[in-house]
Amino acid sequence: MTDLLSRLKQALGPKGVLTDASDMEAYAIDWRKLFPGKPLAVVRPANTQEVAAVVSLCKHYGTALVPQGGNTGLAGGAVPDGSGREIVLSLSRMNALRSVDPIGMTLEAEAGLVLKAAQDAAEAVGRLLPISLAAEGSATIGGVIATNAGGVNVLRYGMTRALVLGLEVVLPDGSIVNGLRHLRKDNAGYDWKQVFIGTEGTLGIVTAAVLRLLPRPTQTVTVLVSVADPQKALDFLVCAQNELGDSISAFELISGYSIKLVEQHFGIKCPIEASAWYVLIEAGATLSGLREAVEKALEQALESGLAHDGVIAESGKQAADLWLLRERITESEAKQSKSVKHDVSVPIPTIPDFLQAAEEALAKAAPGTIINCFGHLGDGNLHYNVLIKDHDPVLINHMVHDVVMAMGGSISAEHGIGQYRVAELESRRSEPELHLSRQIKTALDPLNIMNPGKVLSRQGSPS
Ligand code: FAD
Ligand code: 2HG
Ligand code: ZN
């Protein structure tokens, strides 16, 4: 091991390798502090050639690598195990913005560029990078790609996958594959970049990417509405889509409990009457008339009883304040209590049934738990987080996922599997699907050095 460390130091220089426990602390544990790890070292390469050099050395010594971006992942995918034998490869020094092209509508950046910086760069040329999530001030382009992140704009713009035009990756054998093409259309051969999107650093390291930009709407309207129950929220989604079409970029469901948590922990006041459920909507357009159309949709919802109360933001500041009520939920939950997180998706029409069935199951098997439910209603993706005291997290997790599976849903809509959901994934997916996944893993990473134990269990992976 000392041999490997000294060769890493030779390859990266002193700034590139951390070995002191205090220097490595922040890289060793995940955002939720659920998975404390113990890295052998943290390496911080400055460019793609250095990433390739690190991977080649790790391959030579049979040492496992854990890629890490902003370390905001919620599934424990970016941290090492407790063995003291895995190396964290942080992309934080590779944060260059290489180009922003408002005509071709592309942005090229290194993997460590923070998402917010990429959004701002697109905005500076009048374009939109629509990937948006509460962790955007720390999450990186590489992390967002490796998790195929969702966020609040999926309804209109799709998941991250839909916005990746080109990738550069370092494979587990240390070779560099450069597919940084700025093309909208490219059917020349296998679209291999898909293999690295959403696979959480288990098949290779994303070192740079070309992302697709979009026209930036010149008007946006943000609305917060209270609704009696999730069925009403769903009916409102249909009405709003009929009235506003694809101008709706976000349609978020928020429980009254989630709003109370944010009010309590951040001192933010919800501007409309207290309710069991709320919907936060954002619409954007460039042609005129959006505001009037939103007002009409809201009026109709209030008149028909779909909504009880609502407010349309009158300024950018008010819109940002409404969004804070949504964006601060995760941090409020972390301040409040231990929780079992569920990042589930179900077919959109079944959302009310899912919520009812899950609540009934919890009331029966885990009384005393509190449900903090919010999420991306327009995508069928709910964060059904269960606040616990001395309850059994595994039992709760399993029970909620049973309900999800009965509805034909998925146990991870956007956060991924990491280490948090490996056992659940392996017990829910069919053997042929798991076998195919293991074949892909073995083909690319026969020595199992790339983020082992994440997504797939170590047992099922190549040894
Ligand atoms: P990390 O946490 O560092 O890594 C995540 C995974 O990607 C790990 O498996 C890691 O090994 C791998 N990885 C990282 N960089 C690379 C790379 N360059 N090459 C290969 N593999 C790599 N997620 C959503 O989808 N939607 C949300 O709305 C959302 N909201 C959030 C809100 C909060 C407050 C927080 C804390 C998190 C939220 N997340 C959300 C989760 C998280 O922000 C995303 O998963 C994000 O994409 C992770 O980016 P990161 O750079 O922090 O990646
Ligand atoms: C969100 O939508 C994130 O805000 C975080 O995906 C969800 O805290 C969570 O469970
Ligand atoms: Zn989410």
Side-chain angles (χ1 to χ4, degrees):
M1 285 301 169
T2 35
D3 199 22
L4 168 63
L5 290 180
S6 60
R7 289 183 69 182
L8 285 170
K9 281 179 190 157
Q10 240 170 25
L12 305 189
K15 268 213 242 159
V17 185
L18 310 176
T19 48
D20 281 356
S22 59
D23 293 341
M24 297 194 295
E25 216 175 282
Y27 302 87
I29 190 159
D30 62 303
W31 190 89
R32 295 185 67 201
K33 312 246 179 291
L34 274 189
F35 301 101
K38 190 170 171 239
L40 170 66
V42 174
V43 296
R44 301 170 62 237
N47 54 49
T48 303
Q49 284 66 33
E50 288 191 2
V51 174
V54 170
V55 177
S56 297
L57 281 169
C58 286
K59 180 188 162 205
H60 178 77
Y61 287 91
T63 297
L65 271 165
V66 182
Q68 189 177 100
N71 199 12
T72 67
L74 295 173
V79 289
D81 67 8
S83 67
R85 290 200 298 267
E86 296 187 344
I87 287 188
V88 173
L89 188 150
S90 164
L91 280 300
S92 55
R93 284 173 74 205
M94 292 177 56
N95 59 3
L97 173 71
R98 291 185 182 159
S99 67
V100 193
D101 172 3
I103 299 167
M105 295 212 273
T106 62
L107 178 151
E108 182 174 330
E110 289 181 346
L113 184 71
V114 166
L115 175 58
K116 178 75 170 69
Q119 292 169 351
D120 290 348
E123 183 174 1
V125 298
R127 296 300 181 209
L128 176 74
L129 175 60
I131 308 166
S132 177
L133 32 107
E136 63 201 21
S138 309
T140 60
I141 295 301
V144 160
I145 291 171
T147 55
N148 186 27
V152 294
N153 287 334
V154 171
L155 182 60
R156 181 167 181 182
Y157 299 105
M159 304 274 283
T160 296
R161 188 184 299 283
L163 299 161
V164 179
L165 295 178
L167 280 189
E168 179 189 70
V169 293
V170 172
L171 300 180
D173 66 3
S175 57
I176 299 169
V177 188
N178 184 334
L180 292 171
R181 286 179 281 273
H182 292 238
L183 302 172
R184 300 267 148 171
K185 300 180 77 170
D186 181 9
N187 265 354
Y190 290 161
D191 188 7
W192 58 261
K193 66 179 179 295
Q194 302 301 341
V195 166
F196 302 93
I197 304 172
T199 46
E200 304 180 53
T202 58
L203 300 176
I205 298 174
V206 175
T207 47
V210 180
L211 298 174
R212 188 160 76 89
L213 303 180
L214 285 112
R216 190 173 193 85
T218 51
Q219 320 144 49
T220 54
V221 183
T222 309
V223 192
L224 181 71
V225 165
S226 55
V227 294
D229 55 47
Q231 184 59 54
K232 289 263 185 338
L234 205 52
D235 295 344
F236 185 31
L237 170 66
V238 175
C239 290
Q241 280 176 324
N242 288 342
E243 290 295 324
L244 305 169
D246 62 4
S247 68
I248 303 173
S249 49
F251 199 99
E252 299 284 306
L253 180 70
I254 314 174
S255 66
Y257 182 76
S258 307
I259 293 282
K260 275 196 205 125
L261 274 185
V262 177
E263 288 185 326
Q264 183 188 328
H265 290 288
F266 284 92
I268 303 169
K269 183 89 194 75
C270 177
I272 60 176
E273 71 177 38
S275 173
W277 294 94
Y278 300 82
V279 170
L280 180 63
I281 306 165
E282 186 151 296
T286 295
L287 298 179
S288 57
L290 179 70
R291 167 100 194 182
E292 294 72 16
V294 172
E295 280 170 359
K296 191 173 147 217
L298 179 59
E299 235 167 71
Q300 280 176 4
L302 290 167
E303 270 168 22
S304 65
L306 282 184
H308 322 303
D309 194 6
V311 59
I312 302 183
E314 295 296 338
S315 64
K317 161 85 174 73
Q318 268 183 25
D321 287 347
L322 292 182
W323 270 106
L324 277 183
L325 283 165
R326 168 67 182 84
E327 285 166 351
R328 292 280 191 258
I329 300 173
T330 299
E331 284 165 88
S332 304
E333 180 188 296
K335 286 173 194 276
Q336 180 72 14
S337 161
K338 283 193 290 186
S339 66
V340 186
K341 279 195 186 290
H342 302 96
D343 162 40
V344 304
S345 60
V346 292
I348 295 173
T350 69
I351 284 176
D353 290 346
F354 162 74
L355 287 169
Q356 197 183 333
E359 191 177 338
E360 280 169 13
L362 276 172
K364 211 157 138 201
T369 50
I370 298 172
I371 300 158
N372 180 31
C373 179
F374 58 99
H376 317 288
L377 184 81
D379 311 322
N381 172 197
L382 296 177
H383 301 302
Y384 193 81
N385 299 341
V386 182
L387 275 49
I388 54 169
K389 294 196 180 95
D390 49 3
H391 303 87
D392 177 357
V394 176
L395 180 133
I396 289 172
N397 198 221
H398 208 70
M399 205 171 61
V400 172
H401 286 165
D402 278 348
V403 182
V404 170
M405 297 313 284
M407 303 279 167
S410 167
I411 64 156
S412 179
E414 57 173 9
H415 296 163
I417 300 300
Q419 53 183 308
Y420 187 49
R421 302 191 172 92
V422 173
E424 277 292 300
L425 182 76
E426 293 195 340
S427 70
R428 307 285 175 179
R429 281 277 148 106
S430 68
E431 190 43 43
E433 276 188 289
L434 289 170
H435 181 64
L436 178 59
S437 304
R438 290 187 202 113
Q439 279 183 310
I440 295 171
K441 173 75 174 167
T442 310
L444 279 149
D445 184 20
L447 300 177
N448 196 21
I449 57 165
M450 203 54 78
N451 217 357
K454 314 293 168 47
V455 185
L456 296 168
S457 65
R458 283 166 200 270
Q459 213 182 6
S461 305
S463 52

